Amino acid sequence: MASFAPSPADVADIGVTGMAVMGSNLARNFARNGFKVALHNRSVGKTEKVMDDHSADGEFYPSESMSDFVASLQKPRVAIIMVKAGKPTDAVIDELASLMEEGDIIVDAGNALFGDTRRREADLREKGLHFVGSGVSGGEEGALNGPSIMPGGTKQSYERLGPMFEKISAHVDGEPCCTHVGADGAGHFVKMVHNGIEYADMQVISEAYDLMAKALGKGATEIGDVFAEWNKGDLESFLIEITAEVLHHTDVTSGKPFVDVILDRAAQKGTGAWTVQTALDLGVPVTGIAEATFARSVSGSTPQREAGRKVLPAEAQTLEIADEAQFIDDLQKALYAAKLVSYSQGFDEIAAGADEYGWDIDLGAMARIWRGGCIIRARFLNRITEAYERDAKLPLLLSDEYFTTEIAKCIPAWRRVVAFAAASGYPVPVFASTLSYYDAVRAERLPAALVQAQRDYFGAHTYQRVDAEGTFHVEWSEDRRETKQD
């Protein structure tokens, strides 16, 4: 038996079911901002713990059963789901939907595959309910103190949700880090790409750290000092800031730098892989995100790494670094350039997704709501917003005059860093792949012409010519005459 009585009916402004850390912190955020919040969890003990530990945060209405939870919500009801993705989410949605009425709103604020969100939205729309897939970025601290929020769903549902979500979100320059993203799965799509950019950002930061450690022989604290200094300039961002803090942290047990006692295997929860898989489906090259995702996979490929470590020769050069300050400056510029490319690729994917699924996504607004609360918040996001304000249909973020000018300052350093790492045998997948993409997207002509000729040879896949309209094929197995296919 729960330690609380059923809550009164029609009292709560909003409800949260799922009282793990993210769910309870989000509920507390609503309460701290003056909203009456209904609470529910499948195991009532977690609800009781929130009430015991945090009842002073505001006005909570806990319920033991889902029916009491729904009954405690003011109409049109809003219930936020914060449970494990997949079947657990579907089970909670089904239970909520059976208790709700036409016009009520169910919000999935966890990380969900946008295709699942589109399916769920269509199913609930047939029942007269609104389903909102909402990205929430910022981790535990953001959920409690102000996240970046990316809700999809109908405009009608946002009329009910917007005032609450905008109030609890992070604010930058007086503006909320929340806006209506677009219909059905748009919110979760944008959050997925956000997380993909996050993968690339974290990986390339780690590559810069690795080069300072191995090529310069610097310890974690010294490298932390470098990152702290970088955070004062163009690279200012949440991830650079916390990198400096992590590198300055000492392990309590061993007395060693904290980073040196962590096993070098990076985990992932799937959003990076979703971003890459979706980009492949859309035909968008997100090379930085892809390499960052694969880098985590390599780190966890223990048998392969053990086998390779034993037998694979490096044949690396030992290159002298004559000017340490110059090397660090090169790393800073290369890091900035690689980050810019990764963000540009991410925005390309959002634009392609919007075209594919009919979402009216304001790309500048996405950069604006990422300025605060979220993991990839960074100084140059303002510049991304400004770029899309100048040209909402900008085909390539890097082609905006500001970013063209910025990246031009970095190119020589970027090339030096990648060349040094390759010659020295240090893996830099994001540094290298983003530079290769940059060179490909600016190239006058690519070797894809030969690839297409090969495809036509073995599979009659046809090709187009530079000097004539139409589609052609060479009769390779006969007299090699060219025939027009249309």
Side-chain angles (χ1 to χ4, degrees), residues 143-406:
L144 180 62
N145 298 315
S148 174
I149 309 178
M150 296 152 260
T154 62
K155 290 182 179 179
Q156 184 181 350
S157 66
Y158 194 75
E159 290 174 4
R160 173 82 165 90
L161 294 172
M164 292 187 288
F165 279 10
E166 290 179 14
K167 189 170 184 180
I168 71 157
S169 73
H171 284 67
V172 176
D173 297 332
E175 294 182 305
C177 293
C178 173
T179 192
H180 181 240
V181 175
D184 53 71
H188 274 150
F189 185 94
V190 167
K191 177 56 162 59
M192 173 191 74
V193 176
H194 164 286
N195 283 23
I197 295 170
E198 181 183 305
Y199 273 51
D201 209 342
M202 294 171 70
Q203 174 64 27
V204 77
I205 288 170
S206 298
E207 291 171 19
Y209 151 78
D210 199 43
L211 287 174
M212 281 188 272
K214 292 176 179 174
L216 296 179
K218 287 186 173 295
T221 300
E222 285 182 286
I223 301 172
D225 291 341
V226 173
F227 277 102
E229 188 63 30
W230 286 354
N231 198 48
K232 299 175 183 177
D234 290 333
L235 286 173
E236 180 188 353
S237 65
F238 174 72
L239 283 172
I240 295 290
E241 176 188 343
I242 68 166
T243 298
E245 290 193 23
V246 167
L247 292 171
H248 283 141
H249 182 59
T250 300
D251 177 53
V252 176
T253 303
S254 66
K256 298 178 180 178
F258 178 62
V259 71
D260 292 344
V261 302
I262 298 175
L263 190 64
D264 61 337
R265 296 179 196 163
Q268 52 185 307
K269 292 187 176 181
T271 47
W274 292 346
T275 306
V276 177
Q277 290 162 355
T278 303
L280 288 170
D281 292 338
L282 293 170
V284 180
V286 291
T287 59
I289 297 169
E291 289 295 344
T293 305
F294 289 132
R296 295 196 189 188
S297 299
V298 170
S299 77
S301 298
T302 304
Q304 291 80 9
R305 290 180 65 192
E306 288 179 351
R309 194 180 295 122
K310 293 175 182 176
V311 300
L312 296 180
E315 299 296 337
Q317 301 177 34
T318 303
L319 301 177
E320 181 184 355
I321 298 174
D323 188 337
E324 181 179 297
Q326 181 63 55
F327 185 81
I328 291 174
D329 186 66
D330 280 357
L331 278 177
Q332 180 182 19
K333 288 184 172 66
L335 179 55
Y336 188 44
K339 283 162 71 79
L340 292 179
V341 169
S342 297
Y343 279 73
S344 181
Q345 291 178 345
F347 276 90
D348 282 349
E349 183 167 356
I350 293 173
D355 287 342
E356 176 71 17
Y357 299 108
W359 297 323
D360 184 19
I361 298 179
D362 182 338
L363 297 178
M366 297 307 98
R368 187 177 66 249
I369 67 172
W370 289 349
R371 293 180 303 162
C374 77
I375 303 301
I376 64 171
R377 58 186 184 265
R379 174 186 288 192
F380 60 76
L381 283 166
N382 275 324
R383 298 296 190 174
I384 296 177
T385 297
E386 292 166 2
Y388 286 113
E389 286 174 347
R390 284 189 287 272
D391 182 0
K393 298 297 183 181
L394 188 65
L396 175 73
L397 179 60
L398 295 176
S399 67
D400 176 78
E401 183 178 359
Y402 174 82
F403 289 103
T404 300
T405 302
E406 286 296 289

Side-chain angles (χ1 to χ4, degrees), residues 429-444:
V430 175
F431 273 134
S433 65
T434 51
L435 177 59
S436 183
Y437 168 85
Y438 175 84
D439 283 333
V441 81
R442 68 169 189 83
E444 186 70 29

Side-chain angles (χ1 to χ4, degrees), residues 35-56:
F35 298 107
K36 301 173 184 177
V37 186
L39 305 179
H40 174 264
N41 195 77
R42 185 175 58 84
S43 56
V44 72
K46 288 189 176 181
T47 308
E48 290 176 326
K49 181 168 176 54
V50 173
M51 292 301 297
D52 290 342
D53 295 346
H54 306 296
S55 59

